[in-house]
C-alpha cells in the first residue's frame, strides 16, 4: 500500500514521477504528492484524491527540477486530505520525505519531538520521520542521509522511504524494511526509485531490489552505494528486469480488469510453459522440485494467504488432498501469525501471494521459519519480498496485474496448485500413470476452454444487466467449487459494492435460506460431477422460495437450463479443473455490474492491491 517513486538525473523529474505515480496508483489512491528540487528551492505539491487531481493542479504550477520524489497514498494514520498527503517536509523547509509502511512507535517519537519544539502539521506517522531526520542532522551535525540512518535506528515498524534535501540537490537517500523498494540504474548516470519496477522499466532494465534495513545512497556522478543500517557498505546486486512495457498498458480495453480477464487463456498457458508436457507425460515445477520429497513426507502442508490468494489456497487444499493424499490446512495469514500456531520442522508452509508483499503473509512466513518449518512461495511478482525470503517457490507468470480486484493471478495460482498436486501425486504414487496422463491432458486443454467461456461475454453481460441493481447476492458451490463461490462473492463486493456471500451449497439451509425471496439472485456452480445431484436439490430449494437462480452449468446440460432462471455454460472438463473455468463467468458478471453501476472498476474505493500494512 502506498506507492513511492523518485528520480534524480539530467531529465525533468516531474513527467517521470507523474507517470510513475499513475503506474503505482493501484497501491493506493487516497492522495498524491510530489516534491521537486529546482536549483536551491524545494517545491512541494499535494492533493487529496487520485493522481489525476494532482496532475490537474500541476498544470498551473512551476514543476521544473531534475530531482524529485512522488507518493500515492493509501491512508493509514490520518484522513485522506491535502495536508496528510506525502511528501512531508521539515520545519525549515529543507528536507522532504515519502514513506510507505507504518511507524509503530510514532507516538512516542512525536511526543519527544514536540518537547524539542517541533510543530506537526499532519496526523500521519510519516511526519515524525522527517522531523526526526532534521533533528538528528542538526544535533549530530551530519548530512541528511546519515541522519536518516541514525533516525531509523530509533524506528519500530515497516518502511520504504525516499528523502531529498535542497541543501544537497544532487543527492537522494532511500531505505527499506518490510516494504518494497527498487532502484533503477539509468544509462546516463540517472537513478529511478519505486515501490515496484513498473515505473522504471520504461527507462532502464538494470535494477537493484533493496533488502531489509538497507540504505541506498545516490550521488549524481557516482555509482550507487548500498549500506546496511550499521553503516557497513554492501555490494549492490544488479538484476536485469524481464518486465515488458506493453504488459503495463490497457491494450485497447476499457479497464485493466477486463484486459486481465481476457488475458487468462494466455496467462494460464504461460503458467505451465516448460512445466507440463502431455505427450511425454510429465509435470515439473522446477522451483519446487527439490522440496517435493519434503512435501510428501511433511506432517502437513500449511497454506497461508490473504484475500483472493486465500481462496486459491482453498482450491489447492482440495486438489492436493484428493490427488496426493497429503494433509493440507489453509489459514488466513493474519490469523495464523497471531495465534501461536503449532509448527515444527516437519511442516511445510506455503505462502500464496500475487504481490509477494502482503504484510500478514510475509509475517506468517517469518514466524513459520523461526519455528523451523520449510517455507515455500507461490508469487506473481518476480523479485518480491516473499519470493526472496522463501526457501524455494514457483512463479505464476501471469504478468503484471494492475486491476485491484485479482483475476488472472487467481487462475494462475490455481493452475500452479493443480500442477503441484499432480506432480506430488505422481511422485507419491497416489494416482495411476494412466490417470496422471489423462489429468495432464485435461489441464493442458484448459486455456482453450477458458477462451470459449470468454466468448460468452455478451450473454453474461445481459445477465449482469438483470441484476445490476440488487443489494445482496448469494454464491453457492460444493467441494473445490465452494472457494470459487467465495471468490465470486468477493469479486462482486470489491468492485460493485453489492453485499455478497459465498457458501457451501449445503450450508444454505443453515441460515442464508432465510434471506431468499424473489429479489435475491443466487449464483450456483452446478456443473456435472460428484455433487451434481445434490446441487440440483439445493437449486430446487431456492426455487421453492422464489429466489432467482443463475447457474453455471456444463455445456449441453438441458435439464438445468430448464430449471435455472439464467444459465451460463462452461465446457466439459475434469472436475479438478472446473474451478478455473467456473471462475471466469463470475469475474465477468462482477465486471459488467460494476461498470453498469458506474463504479471505478480498476480502483475500487478503500482498497489497495498490495497490502503492505497489517
Ligand atoms: C488485497 C487485494 C486482493 C488480494 C489480497 C492479497 O486485498 O486487493 O486482490 O487478493 O490483497 O494479496 P496478495 O498480493 O498477497 O495476493
Amino acid at each position: 500500500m502506498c506507492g513511492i517513486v523518485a528520480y534524480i538525473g539530467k531529465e525533468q523529474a516531474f513527467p517521470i514521477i507523474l507517470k510513475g505515480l499513475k503506474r503505482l496508483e493501484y497501491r493506493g489512491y487516497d492522495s498524491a504528492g510530489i516534491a521537486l528540487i529546482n536549483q536551491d528551492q524545494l517545491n512541494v505539491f499535494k492533493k487529496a484524491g487520485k493522481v489525476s487531481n494532482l496532475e490537474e493542479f500541476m498544470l498551473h504550477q512551476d514543476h521544473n527540477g531534475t530531482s524529485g520524489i512522488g507518493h500515492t497514498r493509501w491512508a493509514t494514520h490520518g484522513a485522506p486530505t491535502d495536508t496528510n498527503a506525502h511528501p512531508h517536509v521539515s520545519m525549515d523547509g529543507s528536507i522532504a520525505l515519502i514513506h510507505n509502511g507504518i511507524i509503530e512507535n510514532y507516538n512516542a517519537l512525536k511526543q519527544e519531538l514536540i518537547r524539542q519544539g517541533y510543530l506537526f502539521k499532519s496526523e500521519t506517522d510519516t511526519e515524525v520521520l522527517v522531523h526526526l531526520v532534521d533533528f538528528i542532522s542538526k544535533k549530530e551535525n551530519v548530512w541528511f542521509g546519515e541522519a536518516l540512518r541514525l533516525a531509523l535506528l530509533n524506528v519500530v515498524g515497516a518502511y520504504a522511504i525516499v528523502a531529498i534535501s535542497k541543501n544537497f540537490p544532487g543527492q537522494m537517500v532511500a531505505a527499506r524494511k518490510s516494504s518494497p523498494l527498487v532502484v533503477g540504474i539509468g544509462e546516463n548516470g540517472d537513478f529511478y526509485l519505486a515501490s515496484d519496477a513498473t515505473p522504471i522499466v520504461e527507462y532502464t532494465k538494470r535494477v537493484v531490489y533493496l533488502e531489509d534495513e538497507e540504505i541506498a545512497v545516490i550521488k549524481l556522478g557516482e555509482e550507487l552505494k548500498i549500506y546496511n543500517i550499521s553503516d557497513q557498505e554492501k555490494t549492490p546486486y544488479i538484476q536485469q528486469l524481464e518486465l515488458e512495457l506493453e504488459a503495463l498498458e490497457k491494450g485497447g480495453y476499457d479497464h485493466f480488469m477486463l484486459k486481465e480477464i481476457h488475458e487468462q487463456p494466455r496467462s494460464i498457458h504461460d503458467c505451465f510453459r516448460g512445466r507440463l508436457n502431455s505427450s511425454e507425460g510429465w509435470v515439473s515445477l522446477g522451483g519446487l522440485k527439490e522440496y517435493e520429497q519434503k512435501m510428501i513426507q511433511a506432517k502437513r502442508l500449511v497454506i497461508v494467504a490473504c484475500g483472493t490468494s486465500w481462496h486459491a489456497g482453498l482450491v489447492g487444499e482440495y486438489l492436493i488432498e484428493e490427488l496426493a493424499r497429503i494433509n493440507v490446512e489453509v489459514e488466513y495469514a493474519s490469523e495464523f501469525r497471531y495465534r501461536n500456531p503449532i509448527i515444527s520442522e516437519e511442516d511445510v508452509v506455503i505462502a500464496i501471494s500475487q504481490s509477494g508483499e502482503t504484510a500478514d503473509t510475509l509475517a506468517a512466513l517469518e514466524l513459520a521459519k523461526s519455528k523451523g518449518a520449510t517455507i515455500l512461495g507461490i508469487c506473481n511478482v518476480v523479485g518480491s519480498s516473499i519470493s526472496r525470503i522463501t526457501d524455494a517457490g514457483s512463479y505464476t507468470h501471469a504478468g503484471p496485474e494492475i486491476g485491484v480486484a485479482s483475476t488472472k493471478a487467481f487462475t494462475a495460482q490455481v493452475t500452479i496448485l493443480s500442477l503441484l498436486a499432480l506432480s506430488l501425486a505422481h511422485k507419491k504414487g497416489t494416482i495411476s500413470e494412466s490417470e496422471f496422463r489423462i489429468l495432464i491432458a485435461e489441464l493442458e486443454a484448459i486455456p482453450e476452454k477458458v477462451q470459449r467461456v470468454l466468448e460468452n461475454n455478451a450473454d453474461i453481460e445481459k445477465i449482469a444487466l438483470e441484476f445490476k441493481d440488487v443489494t445482496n447476492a448469494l454464491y453457492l458451490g460444493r467441494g473445490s467449487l465452494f472457494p470459487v463461490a467465495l471468490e465470486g462473492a468477493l469479486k462482486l463486493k470489491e468492485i460493485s459494492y453489492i453485499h455478497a456471500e459465498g457458501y457451501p451449497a449445503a450450508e444454505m439451509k443453515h441460515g442464508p435460506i432465510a434471506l431468499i425471496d424473489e429479489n435475491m439472485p443466487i449464483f450456483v456452480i452446478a456443473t456435472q460431477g460428484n455433487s451434481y445431484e445434490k446441487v440440483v436439490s439445493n437449486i430446487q430449494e431456492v426455487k421453492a422460495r422464489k429466489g432467482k437462480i443463475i447457474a453455471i452449468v456444463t455445456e449441453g446440460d438441458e435439464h438445468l437450463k430448464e430449471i435455472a432462471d439464467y444459465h451460463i455454460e462452461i465446457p466439459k472438463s475434469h472436475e479438478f479443473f472446473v474451478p478455473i473455468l467456473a471462475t471466469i463467468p463470475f469475474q465477468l458478471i462482477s465486471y459488467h455490474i460494476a461498470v453498469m453501476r458506474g463504479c471505478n472498476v480498476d480502483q475500487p474505493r478503500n482498497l489497495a492491491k498490495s497490502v503492505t500494512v497489517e
Side-chain angles (χ1 to χ4, degrees):
M1 339 206 72
C2 296
I4 65 183
V5 57
Y7 170 79
I8 183 162
K10 297 186 191 72
E11 306 295 323
Q12 283 296 308
F14 174 68
I16 297 172
I17 294 172
L18 186 72
K19 204 173 200 182
L21 287 179
K22 287 184 183 165
R23 292 248 158 84
L24 292 178
E25 207 170 11
Y26 73 88
R27 301 177 67 88
Y29 27 84
D30 288 332
S31 65
I34 291 184
L36 298 164
I37 293 184
N38 186 15
Q39 298 183 6
D40 59 351
Q41 293 216 317
L42 176 68
N43 300 318
V44 181
F45 313 92
K46 315 202 282 191
K47 276 279 152 229
K50 297 193 182 283
V51 174
S52 55
N53 285 6
L54 177 73
E55 184 176 19
E56 206 182 302
F57 173 71
M58 293 299 280
L59 289 175
H60 317 289
Q61 310 295 323
D62 169 9
H63 43 63
N64 278 310
T66 53
S67 153
I69 55 180
H71 187 272
T72 177
R73 176 169 186 247
W74 187 86
T76 57
H77 296 63
T81 59
D82 291 359
T83 318
N84 286 335
H86 300 212
H88 291 284
V89 181
S90 60
M91 270 167 63
D92 66 2
S94 66
I95 304 169
L97 179 150
I98 47 175
H99 165 226
N100 164 29
I102 288 188
I103 307 304
E104 287 170 17
N105 60 338
Y106 86 100
N107 204 24
L109 294 170
K110 184 170 178 176
Q111 297 316 319
E112 179 53 30
L113 286 162
I114 289 172
R115 270 194 291 281
Q116 298 293 339
Y118 281 85
L119 299 175
F120 282 76
K121 288 188 188 151
S122 79
E123 304 150 290
T124 64
D125 51 338
T126 303
E127 196 181 356
V128 158
L129 285 174
V130 74
H131 292 326
L132 189 60
V133 172
D134 177 72
F135 173 67
I136 293 176
S137 83
K138 288 183 172 132
K139 184 165 164 249
E140 305 290 334
N141 196 21
V142 289
W143 77 293
F144 78 106
E146 175 61 1
L148 176 67
R149 185 185 72 79
L150 295 171
L152 292 178
L153 294 173
N154 297 295
V155 161
V156 179
Y159 52 77
I161 298 168
V162 187
I164 50 176
S165 164
K166 69 174 183 181
N167 300 332
F168 299 86
Q171 305 186 15
M172 189 170 269
V173 219
R176 81 152 257 176
K177 184 181 178 192
S178 303
S179 296
L181 196 56
V182 192
V183 186
I185 304 171
E187 290 189 352
N188 305 321
D190 33 15
F191 295 92
Y192 307 80
L193 290 103
S195 298
D196 69 32
T198 58
I200 297 176
V201 63
E202 197 163 339
Y203 311 103
T204 176
K205 294 214 163 185
R206 295 177 72 221
V207 295
V208 175
Y209 289 90
L210 288 194
E211 299 288 345
D212 267 356
E213 301 204 319
E214 280 186 351
I215 297 171
V217 174
I218 294 167
K219 295 186 178 169
L220 277 184
E222 294 182 19
E223 298 280 303
L224 169 70
K225 293 256 172 25
I226 307 273
Y227 300 88
N228 67 14
I229 197 119
S230 318
D231 209 20
Q232 287 154 330
E233 192 168 348
K234 298 176 80 180
T235 311
Y237 171 49
I238 301 173
Q239 298 186 43
Q240 201 66 21
L241 279 180
E242 280 177 19
L243 193 66
E244 293 304 329
L245 195 55
E246 306 78 69
L248 307 174
E249 312 286 347
K250 280 193 200 145
Y253 287 93
D254 288 345
H255 298 96
F256 280 109
M257 183 180 178
L258 189 61
K259 174 186 172 224
E260 288 155 8
I261 291 173
H262 278 88
E263 275 174 353
Q264 288 174 108
R266 185 205 49 75
S267 56
I268 296 168
H269 192 263
D270 285 351
C271 186
F272 43 65
R273 181 168 301 159
R275 293 166 165 172
L276 168 155
N277 188 319
S278 61
S279 46
E280 290 173 18
W282 55 260
V283 166
S284 171
L285 282 169
L288 291 173
K289 214 172 179 166
E290 224 187 298
Y291 285 85
E292 280 188 335
Q293 210 48 42
K294 176 93 196 170
M295 284 190 253
I296 288 169
Q297 281 158 2
K299 215 156 87 191
R300 61 192 179 141
L301 307 182
V302 182
I303 295 179
V304 290
C306 302
T308 289
S309 299
W310 183 76
H311 296 154
L314 291 176
V315 178
E317 177 182 20
Y318 280 92
L319 296 176
I320 298 169
E321 290 200 341
E322 184 69 34
L323 283 165
R325 310 305 297 154
I326 301 172
N327 185 7
V328 181
E329 281 167 31
V330 186
E331 301 253 10
Y332 281 119
S334 54
E335 290 294 314
F336 176 85
R337 63 181 287 203
Y338 282 118
R339 64 166 181 75
N340 195 12
I342 304 165
I343 293 285
S344 72
E345 296 84 9
E346 291 168 76
D347 293 312
V348 175
V349 177
I350 307 174
I352 305 179
S353 174
Q354 187 286 128
S355 62
E357 302 293 347
T358 302
D360 282 320
T361 312
L362 201 53
L365 276 184
E366 278 160 0
L367 176 70
K369 190 177 189 167
S370 73
K371 290 178 180 279
T374 299
I375 57 169
L376 307 175
I378 296 175
C379 294
N380 192 38
V381 176
V382 177
S384 55
S385 300
I386 291 177
S387 64
R388 282 182 294 132
I389 71 157
T390 38
D391 297 315
S394 207
Y395 283 119
T396 45
H397 296 312
E401 191 180 65
I402 315 278
V404 165
S406 185
T407 52
K408 64 174 179 172
F410 174 77
T411 48
Q413 289 164 344
V414 175
T415 305
I416 290 278
L417 290 160
S418 308
L419 290 168
L420 181 63
L422 283 170
S423 178
L424 292 173
H426 193 224
K427 291 234 160 41
K428 200 176 164 196
T430 45
I431 53 173
S432 67
E433 187 62 31
S434 62
E435 260 179 302
F436 176 69
R437 288 206 169 228
I438 290 170
L439 286 172
I440 53 177
E442 284 275 348
L443 182 55
E444 201 172 35
I446 289 294
E448 181 265 325
K449 290 180 184 175
V450 169
Q451 184 57 46
R452 278 163 55 200
V453 181
L454 290 169
E455 282 157 18
N456 293 335
N457 185 31
D459 293 338
I460 295 174
E461 190 173 355
K462 282 186 203 141
I463 297 175
L465 188 62
E466 297 293 317
F467 295 101
K468 70 177 177 39
D469 295 320
V470 298
T471 46
N472 294 290
L474 273 182
Y475 285 73
L476 305 178
R478 288 182 91 116
S480 61
L481 296 168
F482 159 52
V484 175
L486 291 176
E487 175 58 12
L490 178 66
K491 281 295 84 88
L492 192 67
K493 269 186 272 210
E494 280 181 311
I495 60 168
S496 68
Y497 318 139
I498 294 173
H499 172 240
E501 299 289 343
Y503 267 94
E507 274 294 304
M508 187 189 63
K509 288 197 262 319
H510 302 287
I513 200 162
L515 297 170
I516 295 176
D517 61 17
E518 65 280 8
N519 300 316
M520 173 73 100
I522 293 112
F523 295 88
V524 190
I525 311 156
T527 45
Q528 277 154 6
N530 268 341
S531 19
Y532 176 74
E533 296 300 340
K534 293 194 192 314
V535 176
V536 173
S537 307
N538 298 139
I539 289 178
Q540 298 290 12
E541 289 154 11
V542 172
K543 291 285 296 176
R545 284 147 189 97
K546 301 199 165 50
K548 292 273 177 303
I549 291 285
I550 306 97
I552 299 200
V553 303
T554 310
E555 234 165 37
D557 184 340
E558 300 307 324
H559 177 54
L560 262 186
K561 282 191 207 166
E562 268 180 29
I563 305 178
D565 297 282
Y566 302 86
H567 67 267
I568 302 164
E569 285 184 303
I570 61 173
K572 194 167 172 44
S573 162
H574 193 285
E575 243 185 309
F576 290 147
F577 311 122
V578 176
I580 300 177
L581 298 178
T583 299
I584 315 293
F586 287 164
Q587 296 171 342
L588 286 168
I589 287 268
S590 304
Y591 171 78
H592 290 303
I593 290 183
V595 171
M596 288 167 192
R597 288 166 74 97
C599 299
N600 187 332
V601 171
D602 284 334
Q603 294 172 349
R605 70 182 178 209
N606 303 339
L607 297 179
K609 186 146 192 75
S610 181
V611 182
T612 52
V613 295
E614 60 172 289

